[in-house]
Amino acid sequence: MLQKTHSAAGLVAAEIILVRQGVPFLSWEAAGAILLGCLAGTLADVDKPGSTMAKVLFPLSAFLKLLHVRHRTLTHSALFIAALALAASPLPALYYWVFVTAYASHTAIDLLNENGVQLFWPIKGKIRLLPKFIAIDTGSASETAFRWIVLLVSLWIPISTIWF
Ligand SMILES: [Zn+2]
């Protein structure tokens, strides 16, 4: 999926945590959490040469390349998410949950991609949740439609919490 789709999913992840923790949407804490969510949602693609995250986190992406870490493997795996969750544990609860959930949202939506994810890395074999004919190809019209749905959800969550 494209970076903007992952940012949108990270945004929804952050909003879910804000609702669960009862943090008002119109607060500085919420603004920080949303920014963190949008960034953390895109982080896993540091393993994709040429991606924005690989450029931003250049030393790290070069290191992964050196180790021959391939796209949608280590950084997208359940094991890595668990390790990251452990490493992030000193963070304050709100930012901790936003970071972990937004990071995991990346793998969750990549599972809808037609190439799938090596979810149980280092065990080989990619997992895909959708049958190939409806799986979402990166940059395709179905990804655009998917992103609009995610964005609509991201609008609906704060509107529904503020109104109801
Ligand atoms: Zn990815």
Side-chain angles (χ1 to χ4, degrees), residues 26-83:
L26 298 172
S27 65
W28 286 111
E29 264 182 305
I34 282 170
L35 191 66
L36 178 65
C38 289
L39 288 173
T42 66
L43 264 184
D45 277 346
V46 66
D47 66 355
K48 186 180 174 189
S51 74
T52 310
M53 263 307 137
K55 285 176 191 156
V56 172
L57 300 171
F58 171 70
L60 183 60
S61 57
F63 183 62
L64 290 173
K65 203 176 167 192
L66 207 70
L67 295 177
H68 301 290
V69 171
R70 299 184 61 190
H71 185 37
R72 297 203 190 101
T73 59
L74 166 78
T75 62
H76 290 60
S77 69
L79 190 68
F80 191 79
I81 295 170

